[in-house]
Amino acid sequence: QVQLVESGGGLVQAGGSLRLSCAASGRTFSSYGMGWFRQAPGKEREFVAAISWSGSIKSYKDSVRGRFTISRDNAKNTVYLQMNSLKPEDTAVYYCAVTRITSPSMHGNLYDYWGQGTQVTVSS
């Protein structure tokens, strides 16, 4: 019912910035939360950031708070992740996801749809 397409990943030097985008299409929920997760090689998927339907409530993984900013444009069914002051440990495949609940969630099992991911590589 819903397709998610991430974009904006790439190779960047430590301290640099990237802006990820995730566009949703198809039969989305009437209102929904969106989030970003990431998975590094050999590691489990981890929560990065999430945003409520209204955009007024945001949640972040502690290690990215202050460096990353999540936002959304509901008219475009798109969520963004602005990543500043990137560190090598931020290297991972980043996935966006949609949840049927309106509030943000750090729990991956509450998300109904997932994108294919976009690679972010931060060099030292």
Side-chain angles (χ1 to χ4, degrees):
Q1 291 184 328
V2 177
Q3 293 180 321
L4 301 174
V5 180
E6 301 100 333
S7 62
L11 175 64
V12 65
Q13 293 182 321
S17 299
L18 285 174
R19 182 179 173 84
L20 305 183
S21 298
C22 175
S25 62
R27 297 184 62 186
T28 58
F29 304 114
S30 58
S31 59
Y32 53 92
M34 297 186 75
W36 287 95
F37 294 77
R38 68 187 182 188
Q39 186 169 24
K43 298 182 179 179
E44 295 184 349
R45 182 185 64 193
E46 64 179 5
F47 166 78
V48 177
I51 186 168
S52 65
W53 167 253
S54 68
S56 62
I57 304 174
K58 302 174 182 179
S59 297
Y60 295 96
K61 176 180 174 64
D62 288 345
S63 63
V64 309
R65 186 174 293 108
R67 298 189 296 119
F68 292 9
T69 302
I70 188 170
S71 62
R72 67 190 297 165
D73 184 342
N74 289 348
K76 297 181 178 180
N77 289 323
T78 299
V79 64
Y80 306 93
L81 186 67
Q82 178 66 45
M83 305 185 295
N84 298 325
S85 301
L86 283 163
K87 303 175 180 179
E89 52 262 43
D90 294 318
T91 295
V93 176
Y94 284 70
Y95 300 90
C96 68
V98 168
T99 175
R100 68 186 68 188
I101 63 175
T102 59
S103 59
S105 176
M106 65 179 70
H107 304 292
N109 59 4
L110 293 180
Y111 288 82
D112 300 280
Y113 300 99
W114 295 81
Q116 294 300 305
T118 185
Q119 177 71 49
V120 172
T121 302
V122 184
S123 65
S124 59

